[in-house]
């Protein structure tokens, strides 16, 4: 049977885009202060999950909601199950948008909104691939299950809960990365750094705050400093203006008596690729490191300025490692908090590490370096070890063949620092929806997805899902 997948997607373009627009309007950021028994990650992720599941009910699929943690949309019968994993939660919108991040805008053949490329757009494209197969009544030998998550950007507690109640699919993919395929993912672990507070110096660090999530490069940072006299205040503000001119950052300072508030703007990016961001917190700490702080405040600034600034590969921290297949370890310093009235300061370091090194080696490097400045460490429980599915696996071979036939481009394996739901399965990969050469705006202001790529991905997904399940 020959199926014109492009024709089938073209016939549904308007419906696909409208479904995506409606889904993007749901502000599905995790909000821990609004958690209830009915909304385990806050109302936004729950509402987006319900919205996606409602599409499945509308279109006549078998739908199951697992206590508002996650759910699935299912079609077909068979002894084996093909799993497709998408997520409805998004990282915080942050600052710097030209449009409302939750009022989708289509311009220049792109759709702008938080979640457009990560991961609502790709999820809708894959869902429509599954929907086309159902509407055409194509014969299948396997069950297709589209698993919908709501906590991928935080701790994956949605999948922990889901798989306590549901069986894992036998194999599958997540539409949450790049084509041709992602068949390897680095290990992923966040380590909290704790430092004693204290101010015994000529200058007082009242507060230092930066970052929205561990997996985002901080695009903004703020520090509040009290100087010993008016002359020192003037010196601080003048020096800050000079510093901004000499570095790839922007910012402002404001004065209230002897207290100066510094706001610095860098560039946000996905924490899996910290090298493409400009970490506002570390640039601010480098400026402050020239002044006479003491005690805990000095140690906090020194750790950030001397060990974390522009050290995305962990060389200063003695955690650097490179594997021939998986590449280099990366480190994102994503969260910072110092408050004069608290006992401890806090920094979150997110490591994406290749096979060949270990969590224990990373912890040893931290102890050897910033541990000497009084830092203590705690490893967050959501720790993922490196994941790899060989190129000769039938899943990988089939997905690459589909990509090649629809693009005319040679398929190849890829290994990333990002973590996707593909790694939930032993035979799980990430597959699209971004094409080679795309502009990566995930976790950044003005996130968008090309409409051409959205529809082209839906064509590939429809064919791939059918080949895997027929």
């Amino acid at each position: 049977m020959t199926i014109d997948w492009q024709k089938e997607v073209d016939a549904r373009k308007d419906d696909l885009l409208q479904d995506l627009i409606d889904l993007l309007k749901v502000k599905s950021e995790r909000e821990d202060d609004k958690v209830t028994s009915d909304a385990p990650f806050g109302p936004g992720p729950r509402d987006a999950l319900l919205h996606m599941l409602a599409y499945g009910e509308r279109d006549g699929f078998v739908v199951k909601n697992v206590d508002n943690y996650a759910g699935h949309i299912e079609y077909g019968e068979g002894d084996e199950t093909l799993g497709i994993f998408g997520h409805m939660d998004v990282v915080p919108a942050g600052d710097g948008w030209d449009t409302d991040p939750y009022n989708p805008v289509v311009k220049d053949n792109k759709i702008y909104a938080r979640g457009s490329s990560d991961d609502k757009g790709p999820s809708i494209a894959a869902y429509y691939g599954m929907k086309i197969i159902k509407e055409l009544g194509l014969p299948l030998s396997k069950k297709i299950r589209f698993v919908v998550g709501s906590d991928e950007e935080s701790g994956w507690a949605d999948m922990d809960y889901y798989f306590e109640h549901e069986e894992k699919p036998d194999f599958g993919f997540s539409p949450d990365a790049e084509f041709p395929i992602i068949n390897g993912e680095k290990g992923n672990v966040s380590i909290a750094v704790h430092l004693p507070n204290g101010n015994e110096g000529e200058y007082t660090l009242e507060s230092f705050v930066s970052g929205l999530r561990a997996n985002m490069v901080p695009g903004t940072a703020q520090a509040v400093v009290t100087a010993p006299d008016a002359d020192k205040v003037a010196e601080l503000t003048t020096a800050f203006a000079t510093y901004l001119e000499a570095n790839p950052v922007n910012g402002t300072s404001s004065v209230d008596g002897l207290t100066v508030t510094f706001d610095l703007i860098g560039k946000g990016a996905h924490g899996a690729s910290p090298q493409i961001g400009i970490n506002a917190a570390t640039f601010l700490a480098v400026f402050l490191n020239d002044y006479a702080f003491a005690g805990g405040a000095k140690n906090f600034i020194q750790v950030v300025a001397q060990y974390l600034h522009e050290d995305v590969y962990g060389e200063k921290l003695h955690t650097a490692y490179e594997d021939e297949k998986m590449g280099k370890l990366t480190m994102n310093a994503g969260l910072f908090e110092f408050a004069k009235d608290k006992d401890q300061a806090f920094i979150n370091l997110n490591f994406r590490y290749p096979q060949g090194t270990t969590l224990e080696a990373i912890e040893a490097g931290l102890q050897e370096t910033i541990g000497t400045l009084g830092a203590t460490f705690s490893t967050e429980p959501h720790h993922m070890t490196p994941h790899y599915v060989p190129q000769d696996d039938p899943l990988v071979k089939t997905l690459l063949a589909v990509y090649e036939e629809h693009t005319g481009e040679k398929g190849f394996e890829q290994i990333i620092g990002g973590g996707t739901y593909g790694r939930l399965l032993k035979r799980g990969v990430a597959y699209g929806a971004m094409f080679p050469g795309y502009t990566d705006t995930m976790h950044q202001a003005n996130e968008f997805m090309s409409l051409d790529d959205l529809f082209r991905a839906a064509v590939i997904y429809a064919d791939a899902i059918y080949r895997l399940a027929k």
Side-chain angles (χ1 to χ4, degrees):
M1 179 185 297
T2 301
I3 302 158
D4 188 339
W5 298 108
Q6 183 68 58
K7 176 183 175 183
E8 298 300 334
V9 170
D10 287 346
R12 297 165 175 83
K13 276 185 176 181
D14 292 345
D15 291 341
L16 188 159
L17 182 57
Q18 189 59 56
D19 280 350
L20 175 57
I21 288 172
D22 292 343
L23 186 59
L24 289 168
K25 290 179 180 178
V26 183
K27 183 181 179 181
S28 51
E29 300 176 10
R30 176 169 173 160
E31 295 180 283
D32 290 339
D33 59 333
K34 296 181 181 179
V35 166
T36 66
S37 59
D38 185 55
F41 311 111
R46 175 202 61 197
D47 292 348
L49 169 66
L50 295 176
H51 196 107
M52 187 68 197
L53 295 179
Y55 288 157
E57 293 172 346
R58 176 199 67 190
D59 296 330
F61 290 99
V62 174
V63 175
K64 184 172 184 179
N65 179 354
V66 182
D67 299 330
N68 290 344
Y69 279 80
H72 63 242
I73 301 167
E74 203 169 72
Y75 178 66
E77 298 292 338
D79 294 335
E80 287 188 285
T81 299
L82 162 64
I84 305 165
F85 292 82
H87 69 88
M88 297 297 106
D89 59 309
V90 297
V91 297
D95 300 321
W97 285 76
D98 297 330
T99 59
D100 182 341
Y102 295 107
N103 184 18
V105 173
V106 176
K107 61 180 180 179
D108 301 326
N109 205 39
K110 303 179 180 73
I111 183 164
Y112 289 83
R114 177 57 90 217
S116 54
S117 61
D118 185 18
D119 180 41
K120 293 177 181 177
S123 290
I124 285 290
Y127 172 73
Y128 263 76
M130 181 177 172
K131 174 177 160 71
I132 288 168
I133 291 168
K134 176 180 180 296
E135 291 178 351
L136 294 179
L138 299 177
L140 304 177
S141 66
K142 300 177 181 66
K143 184 182 295 181
I144 305 169
R145 177 181 296 168
F146 193 111
V147 180
V148 186
S150 65
D151 188 41
E152 194 270 353
E153 298 291 4
S154 297
W156 290 28
D158 56 343
M159 291 296 103
D160 292 340
Y161 188 89
Y162 178 81
F163 286 122
E164 288 174 3
H165 298 80
E166 301 293 325
E167 292 185 359
K168 284 190 174 184
D170 297 282
F171 62 101
F173 68 86
S174 174
D176 190 20
E178 305 169 9
F179 290 118
I181 202 167
I182 303 295
N183 57 316
E185 298 181 10
K186 294 178 183 177
N188 187 340
V189 64
S190 286
I191 298 178
V193 179
H194 306 279
L195 288 155
N197 272 11
N199 274 286
E200 296 88 34
E202 183 180 5
Y203 294 83
T204 298
L205 183 61
E206 305 286 346
S207 64
F208 187 111
V209 179
S210 182
L212 295 171
R213 290 282 176 84
N215 60 353
M216 299 174 71
V217 176
T220 61
Q222 183 182 85
V224 180
V225 174
T226 298
D229 55 53
D231 289 341
K232 297 294 187 183
V233 169
E235 179 184 320
L236 277 172
T237 56
T238 301
F240 188 61
T242 301
Y243 180 75
L244 294 177
E245 291 179 0
N247 288 279
V249 292
N250 298 303
T252 60
S253 61
S254 59
V255 176
D256 182 6
L258 297 180
T259 299
V260 185
T261 298
F262 299 99
D263 288 287
L264 188 145
I265 302 170
K267 178 188 175 185
H270 196 300
S273 303
Q275 65 273 19
I276 69 173
I278 298 174
N279 193 311
T282 70
F283 270 92
L284 184 53
V286 167
F287 169 73
L288 296 176
N289 200 38
D290 286 339
Y291 294 89
F293 295 93
K298 178 181 179 180
N299 285 350
F300 174 82
I301 293 169
Q302 187 175 351
V303 165
V304 181
Q306 295 186 10
Y307 288 93
L308 305 184
H309 181 59
E310 296 188 329
D311 187 39
V312 297
Y313 301 115
E315 293 166 350
K316 300 174 188 175
L317 292 171
H318 295 182
T319 62
Y321 189 86
E322 184 172 5
D323 172 72
E324 182 178 355
K325 182 178 286 290
M326 288 194 162
K328 292 182 178 182
L329 171 149
T330 61
M331 182 278 296
N332 179 53
L335 297 170
F336 302 80
E337 183 180 2
F338 181 103
K340 186 177 71 170
D341 58 350
K342 292 188 176 180
D343 293 335
Q344 287 191 321
F346 165 79
I347 305 168
N348 183 285
L349 305 180
N350 179 242
F351 292 89
R352 313 293 175 109
Y353 67 93
Q355 57 192 4
T357 189
T358 62
L359 170 60
E360 290 72 23
I362 293 169
E363 292 173 331
L366 295 179
Q367 189 61 54
E368 181 183 345
T369 53
I370 58 179
T372 62
L373 294 174
T376 59
F377 313 100
S378 59
T379 301
E380 297 189 359
H382 183 58
H383 171 212
M384 296 182 290
T385 56
H387 171 77
Y388 180 70
V389 182
Q391 292 185 75
D392 60 0
D393 187 285
L395 169 67
V396 176
K397 292 170 69 175
T398 299
L399 293 177
L400 286 177
V402 174
Y403 171 81
E404 290 177 351
E405 289 183 26
H406 285 279
T407 65
E409 302 291 335
K410 179 65 177 174
F412 51 89
E413 75 169 355
Q414 294 184 98
I415 296 164
I416 61 169
T420 75
Y421 282 155
R423 71 190 304 149
L424 289 164
L425 307 178
K426 183 176 180 180
R427 295 182 61 223
V429 300
Y431 189 55
M434 304 303 149
F435 290 86
Y438 78 102
T439 301
D440 184 359
T441 56
M442 295 181 184
H443 295 203
Q444 299 176 46
N446 301 315
E447 178 184 350
F448 72 83
M449 185 166 186
S450 158
L451 295 186
D452 288 343
D453 286 354
L454 177 70
F455 299 133
R456 186 162 54 145
V459 172
I460 291 174
Y461 287 141
D463 192 358
I465 294 168
Y466 181 52
R467 291 197 204 187
L468 292 171
K470 71 179 180 179

